[in-house]
Amino acid sequence: DEFELYYQPLLNRNGQLVSVEALLRWPHPTKGFISPARFIPLAEASGQIMPISEWVLKRACLDMQALTLEGLGRVQVAVNLSPLQFNRASFLTTLRQTLLDTGLPPEQLSLELTEGILMDNTEAAIDTLQALRSMQISVSIDDFGTGFASLLYVRDLRACRLKVDQRFVGSLDHDARDRAIVSHAISLADSLGMEVLAEGVETAEQERLLVEMGCHLVQGFRYARPKRLPELVEWLKRKPSIHPCP
Ligand code: C2E
Ligand code: MG
Ligand code: MG
């Protein structure tokens, strides 16, 4: 019962909200704040990732329903998936059941996957992705450019959105190599008919370069930090417009 879900807005070039990403937080009672980058790999190794992931999915769906009840419209939520969770035979059944139990329309859910998902069991993974598509659940490739076989999974996942890793975005303004990589990732996504998002945008200069390169979507401390649900509600009330779910 110690976990909390925070939400970070994803915006388009006009500053409109397109989605919020659910990010897990563990404020430990004695050890202080523990980063998901530390505890998620441990939970994967111990198998505890399964109950944690189910809790995240359900909480995220319920929280989006709460936003609708508050009169804030239908906000899409992006949930990070662990490869272990995705590759379980019961994954789709649990997902469908969660949508039924919470009443969240599937178009309001988006799933973020990393290339690790395709590594072990490609055929089954492609089938699962096909099923997600027929359920109208959108899929994003997370941390693009940092894994193995990147272009193979870009081709095979046929995802809707490609998220360029913040390690490239962070040094855009002073490293020509990162500018080249980001610019190519944007053209690649564009020509494959995908939306491209830059993660971890912090400065006006990074934003200027991204807009110049034709990046569609942004996420980062420059626009909004991850927030608890009540703070997200306040933020949404101040924001002028919500981009409807696709
Ligand atoms: P991610 O999915 O790539 O999430 C983006 C990370 O970038 C988040 O870190 C977010 O807080 C951080 N971030 C956003 N904007 C900025 C910025 O402008 N500057 C900087 N420096 N950082 C920014 P966080 O929350 O620590 O999450 C780390 C990773 O943990 C996530 O990376 C994701 O892979 C994993 N994770 C988080 N929540 C979950 C979850 O519920 N399930 C699973 N399986 N993994 C999760
Ligand atoms: Mg993510
Ligand atoms: Mg990422």
Side-chain angles (χ1 to χ4, degrees):
D1 296 332
E2 286 169 14
F3 289 124
E4 284 185 75
L5 261 195
Y6 277 52
Y7 296 96
Q8 187 179 32
L10 278 60
L11 308 170
N12 69 13
R13 273 184 286 194
N14 303 321
Q16 292 167 314
L17 183 83
V18 293
S19 190
V20 292
E21 179 173 5
L23 293 163
L24 195 53
R25 296 287 175 261
W26 186 10
H28 191 278
T30 54
K31 295 189 168 72
F33 172 80
I34 304 176
S35 162
R38 271 192 67 202
F39 71 77
I40 294 277
L42 293 174
E44 280 176 335
S46 70
Q48 282 164 303
I49 191 69
M50 293 312 297
I52 295 175
S53 301
E54 279 168 25
W55 178 84
V56 167
L57 186 65
K58 186 159 190 196
R59 185 74 263 156
C61 292
L62 289 172
D63 285 351
M64 293 310 105
Q65 293 293 62
L67 292 182
T68 306
L69 283 176
E70 285 257 0
L72 292 165
R74 296 219 160 266
V75 178
Q76 186 192 65
V77 66
V79 173
N80 290 286
L81 288 192
S82 139
L84 221 72
Q85 177 187 13
F86 181 86
N87 288 319
R88 274 281 173 106
S90 57
F91 169 66
L92 284 173
T93 315
T94 310
L95 185 64
R96 286 198 187 95
Q97 195 58 49
T98 308
L99 290 171
L100 272 178
D101 292 347
T102 60
L104 192 82
E107 317 79 79
Q108 247 181 286
L109 181 65
S110 160
L111 299 174
E112 298 201 357
L113 317 179
T114 54
E115 85 291 357
I117 282 179
L118 279 187
M119 294 233 296
D120 311 324
N121 202 351
T122 311
E123 295 262 306
I126 304 278
D127 287 349
T128 308
L129 286 161
Q130 201 70 49
L132 292 176
R133 233 189 312 276
S134 61
M135 289 166 76
Q136 318 263 1
I137 295 175
S138 73
V139 168
S140 301
I141 295 176
D142 204 356
D143 304 341
F144 177 68
T146 60
F148 308 103
S150 304
L151 296 177
L152 276 180
Y153 74 84
V154 168
R155 186 193 68 187
D156 293 341
L157 281 177
R158 294 205 281 130
C160 320
R161 195 176 286 159
L162 191 142
K163 300 186 78 176
V164 178
D165 194 82
Q166 52 179 280
R167 278 164 279 183
F168 300 111
V169 177
S171 38
L172 260 189
D173 33 11
H174 54 265
D175 193 331
R177 294 170 306 176
D178 286 329
R179 278 201 295 282
I181 292 169
V182 173
S183 163
H184 277 85
I186 293 170
S187 328
L188 176 73
D190 241 350
S191 35
L192 293 174
M194 299 164 78
E195 281 185 315
V196 61
L197 177 141
E199 295 186 309
V201 182
E202 291 183 352
T203 70
E205 183 57 8
Q206 288 163 359
E207 178 187 84
R208 192 188 64 75
L209 289 165
L210 289 163
V211 169
E212 201 176 272
M213 292 176 194
C215 185
H216 308 133
L217 308 172
V218 286
Q219 176 180 6
F221 296 168
R222 170 155 175 78
Y223 313 101
R225 289 190 174 252
K227 304 169 189 309
R228 284 197 182 86
L229 189 68
E231 280 90 43
L232 179 70
V233 167
E234 289 315 306
W235 186 88
L236 287 170
K237 283 182 178 161
R238 289 197 313 270
K239 286 289 293 179
S241 51
I242 295 183
H243 199 270
C245 277

